[in-house]
Amino acid sequence: MALSSPDAPCSCDCFVSVPPASAIPAVIFAKNSDRPRDEVQEVVFVPAGTHTPGSRLQCTYIEVEQVSETHAVILSRPSWLWGAEMGANEHGVCIGNEAVWTKEPVGEGEALLGMDLLRLALERSSSAREALRVITGLLERYGQGGSCREDPSPFCYHNTFLLADRAEAWVLETAGKLWAAQRIQEGARNISNQLSIGTDISAQHAELQAHARAQGWWSGQGPFDFAQVFSLTQQPVRMEAAKARFQAGRELLQQQQGAITAEVMMGILRNKESGICMDSGGFRTTASMVSILPQDPTQPCVHFLTATPDPSRSVFKPFIFGVGVAQAPQVLSPTFGAQDPVRTLPRFKTQVDRRHSLYRGHQAALRLMESEQDLGQQLQQKQQDLEQEGLEAAQRLLAGKWTPTPQELGGLFQAFVERESQAYA
């Protein structure tokens, strides 16, 4: 029996700011990934690729048909699975996903995880709108399903997505194979583990309304409100908590309308009072990401990733796609091949240590922060200084005051990861 109840702790928060809500002419994207507290998230760079026609691609549980060309991507992902919780591609498309439960039952069969759909969309799209088409097409063909945690007792859910590019953003909310989407052309928007699209639907599954009528969820009279029609009548405790986080996130964005920057988004992701920076009931924020997507296509997009839990005590490090980009080994988890508990059936009967070297160093640093006040404060100051340096480098780059070589840009994230590792050593 799959545990598909939203009473099980699971939460995430995604945010986007589209001008004029942003302080600069850029779309700004942000996400906190809230997952089982000991789950390790790695940051993986996958270069662009060409593939043999008709070849198959192994995702977390199932295979899908591969496409002839895939884009370069940077992914923040739970290290046991194929997909990702959040990421970006070389064309400035960013996506984050969230768990959601609706009146549509959550299937127990293995299909594509929402995290697989996210990575597939990044690899196959050059705009947010195209990413929406990729996800909905794959959803129609393969469906979504399978356990979303590395545990013998399955934990399943459907997904909502926030998709952004240099020009606009889209919210995509699913219920099984059905879906509704909302286009965001200006202003700020957030999503938090619940359906949030009401009557303002920009695109939808062809059978969405007919299905709702057939199930007796909608009379067919008056405007069709997706969230109202498809949300569970009895909202479980966890969903109520998500509602409070959604409201808090919306208010934090509204307070900064017209002044939203990458730093503002980082501050929101670090907000513990609202539960957005979370640590409760066996779950916590395991990784975070903020991206600047300039409207000017000649300017590079800058993606800041932590690769470590608890953004209030982590460093957002800048990543920019460029000629010299390579995988930073310190944020890559060990692999276990055919012996991996996710590959052997029945799945997840054993446990392996997936911690990468930055995660280990960060764990030791957190222990110091909690046990030795002076040393802990020094470490936190080092973190803040390093992050500030990355933010200033991004500002100089976007203001045209710094013109690094493509190799320098490509090696930026690696350089910051190395310096953070040294601070913990």
Side-chain angles (χ1 to χ4, degrees), residues 96-100 158-162 172-174 191 194-195:
N97 80 312
E98 313 256 336
V100 73
H158 290 160
N159 291 266
T160 64
F161 302 88
L162 185 58
L172 168 63
E173 300 186 336
T174 72
I191 59 172
Q194 59 185 310
L195 299 180

Side-chain angles (χ1 to χ4, degrees), residues 174-190:
T174 72
K177 288 190 174 187
L178 302 170
W179 56 274
Q182 184 182 51
R183 188 181 184 194
I184 316 293
Q185 290 176 281
E186 59 174 40
R189 180 75 153 82
N190 62 314

Side-chain angles (χ1 to χ4, degrees), residues 150-220:
E150 191 180 12
D151 193 279
S153 54
F155 177 53
C156 309
Y157 49 75
H158 290 160
N159 291 266
T160 64
F161 302 88
L162 185 58
L163 311 97
D165 60 26
R166 292 175 182 269
E168 62 181 13
W170 286 79
V171 174
L172 168 63
E173 300 186 336
T174 72
K177 288 190 174 187
L178 302 170
W179 56 274
Q182 184 182 51
R183 188 181 184 194
I184 316 293
Q185 290 176 281
E186 59 174 40
R189 180 75 153 82
N190 62 314
I191 59 172
S192 298
N193 303 110
Q194 59 185 310
L195 299 180
S196 62
I197 298 173
T199 55
D200 186 8
I201 299 171
S202 312
Q204 65 185 47
H205 189 284
E207 290 154 36
L208 184 69
Q209 294 183 9
H211 181 80
R213 284 189 73 170
Q215 295 292 329
W217 300 337
W218 182 54
S219 65

Side-chain angles (χ1 to χ4, degrees), residues 2 93 133 191 228 390 413:
V93 180
R133 285 199 293 268
I191 59 172
Q228 203 170 20
F413 183 71

Side-chain angles (χ1 to χ4, degrees), residues 72-339:
V73 295
I74 187 78
L75 307 169
S76 187
R77 72 171 187 198
S79 54
W80 62 271
L81 50 78
W82 181 83
E85 274 279 293
M86 51 202 172
N89 71 17
E90 59 186 306
H91 298 291
V93 180
C94 291
I95 311 177
N97 80 312
E98 313 256 336
V100 73
W101 294 266
T102 69
K103 288 175 184 167
E104 274 298 293
V106 175
E108 291 181 26
E110 290 184 345
L112 288 172
L113 294 178
M115 293 171 276
D116 293 338
L117 289 164
L118 187 156
R119 175 174 173 177
L120 288 162
L122 287 174
E123 289 187 345
R124 300 175 178 201
S125 317
S126 51
S127 70
R129 187 189 288 252
E130 191 181 2
L132 175 82
R133 285 199 293 268
V134 169
I135 292 174
T136 55
L138 289 163
L139 204 52
E140 185 65 39
R141 186 166 176 190
Y142 298 102
Q144 57 181 325
S147 183
C148 302
R149 70 175 174 193
E150 191 180 12
D151 193 279
S153 54
F155 177 53
C156 309
Y157 49 75
H158 290 160
N159 291 266
T160 64
F161 302 88
L162 185 58
L163 311 97
D165 60 26
R166 292 175 182 269
E168 62 181 13
W170 286 79
V171 174
L172 168 63
E173 300 186 336
T174 72
K177 288 190 174 187
L178 302 170
W179 56 274
Q182 184 182 51
R183 188 181 184 194
I184 316 293
Q185 290 176 281
E186 59 174 40
R189 180 75 153 82
N190 62 314
I191 59 172
S192 298
N193 303 110
Q194 59 185 310
L195 299 180
S196 62
I197 298 173
T199 55
D200 186 8
I201 299 171
S202 312
Q204 65 185 47
H205 189 284
E207 290 154 36
L208 184 69
Q209 294 183 9
H211 181 80
R213 284 189 73 170
Q215 295 292 329
W217 300 337
W218 182 54
S219 65
Q221 302 300 305
F224 177 78
D225 185 313
F226 176 67
Q228 203 170 20
V229 171
F230 275 84
S231 291
L232 290 160
T233 325
Q234 279 297 98
Q235 287 284 15
V237 178
R238 270 326 273 200
M239 298 284 271
E240 285 300 330
K243 197 180 288 182
R245 273 195 350 270
F246 175 69
Q247 282 299 118
R250 192 159 70 176
E251 283 163 24
L252 288 165
L253 286 174
Q254 280 169 351
Q255 287 163 17
Q256 300 282 351
Q257 281 281 2
I260 297 170
T261 59
E263 293 98 312
V264 166
M265 286 296 201
M266 289 171 190
I268 291 174
L269 297 185
R270 287 174 165 142
N271 189 296
K272 293 205 174 209
E273 196 186 348
S274 61
I276 289 167
C277 179
M278 91 146 333
D279 192 346
S280 74
F283 269 56
R284 69 171 168 183
T285 299
T286 54
S288 306
M289 171 178 169
V290 172
S291 294
I292 305 170
L293 315 173
Q295 290 179 314
D296 178 352
T298 64
Q299 291 192 326
C301 296
V302 187
H303 312 284
F304 294 88
L305 302 113
T306 61
T308 54
D310 187 355
S312 72
R313 298 182 293 176
S314 283
V315 180
F316 283 93
K317 298 166 284 293
F319 175 93
I320 297 172
F321 287 94
V323 180
V325 176
Q327 175 65 48
Q330 298 92 333
V331 292
L332 197 62
S333 291
T335 53
F336 301 91
Q339 305 312 306

